[in-house]
Amino acid sequence: MVAELVREKFDLDSRLSRTLGKLLFRPGELAVEFSRNRRASYVSPIRLYLFVSILFFFLLSITTDVVIAPVDKAEVTRELESVTETDVDRLLRQLDVEQRQKVAQILEKPETSLARLALLQLAKGVGDRSEELEEVEVYVFGRLVDAIYEPASLLDQLVDNLPIAIFIMLPVYALLLKIFYVGRHRYYVENLVFATHLHTFAFILFT
């Protein structure tokens, strides 16, 4: 077992260096090697993608922060002149109890508060609608209130869900490649491998 573990480790190290070398400097050739079924010398595209994406999103989660810019008081006053209590009341009717409490706390902030301005702009958007809001719109407005109340939580949710969303969209992206390059006679799996390598390269670059 120890011998197998050591063998696997050194084999993985050589495959990793070979894979990264081609991925960073000759990425097209790496995709071609997989198309020619020369896969034993390289790390699996999915394994490499998962490792690099986990590293990227971990670094993103610990280095990203929300910065609130100062607001000009005169500009805030101009923006709020057209917002009425009716607009706010209509917004409140679309929200649940917890979100209404958040709205009340936001409205208690100073007039120059960016959160208060954003909330009143949201209320104006709801008030300008002549027809009733659809269920999806009600959900979106509720989430916007949550984001205005605590911007950092929205960023945390985005960082948490973005890796899953990108991974799920990989097959869709590969399908688009298949459609756009239908005359190249490439199999769908070849496009999927290429898409995986492309996203892996992007994660390495962003890291």
Side-chain angles (χ1 to χ4, degrees), residues 32-50:
V32 170
E33 288 287 274
F34 271 83
S35 298
R36 292 173 177 170
N37 206 24
R38 299 172 183 170
R39 307 170 188 175
S41 301
Y42 305 99
V43 178
S44 162
I46 294 297
R47 178 185 294 183
L48 184 64
Y49 171 87
L50 291 175

Side-chain angles (χ1 to χ4, degrees), residues 109-144:
K109 293 179 179 292
E111 290 188 357
T112 54
S113 167
L114 183 61
R116 190 172 186 273
L117 172 62
L119 179 68
L120 291 175
Q121 287 287 359
L122 182 62
K124 186 176 184 300
V126 176
D128 288 343
R129 298 288 301 273
S130 57
E131 69 278 2
E132 288 296 322
L133 298 180
E134 298 181 2
E135 187 174 345
V136 175
E137 293 175 311
V138 172
Y139 173 79
V140 170
F141 281 121
R143 300 302 293 171
L144 286 173

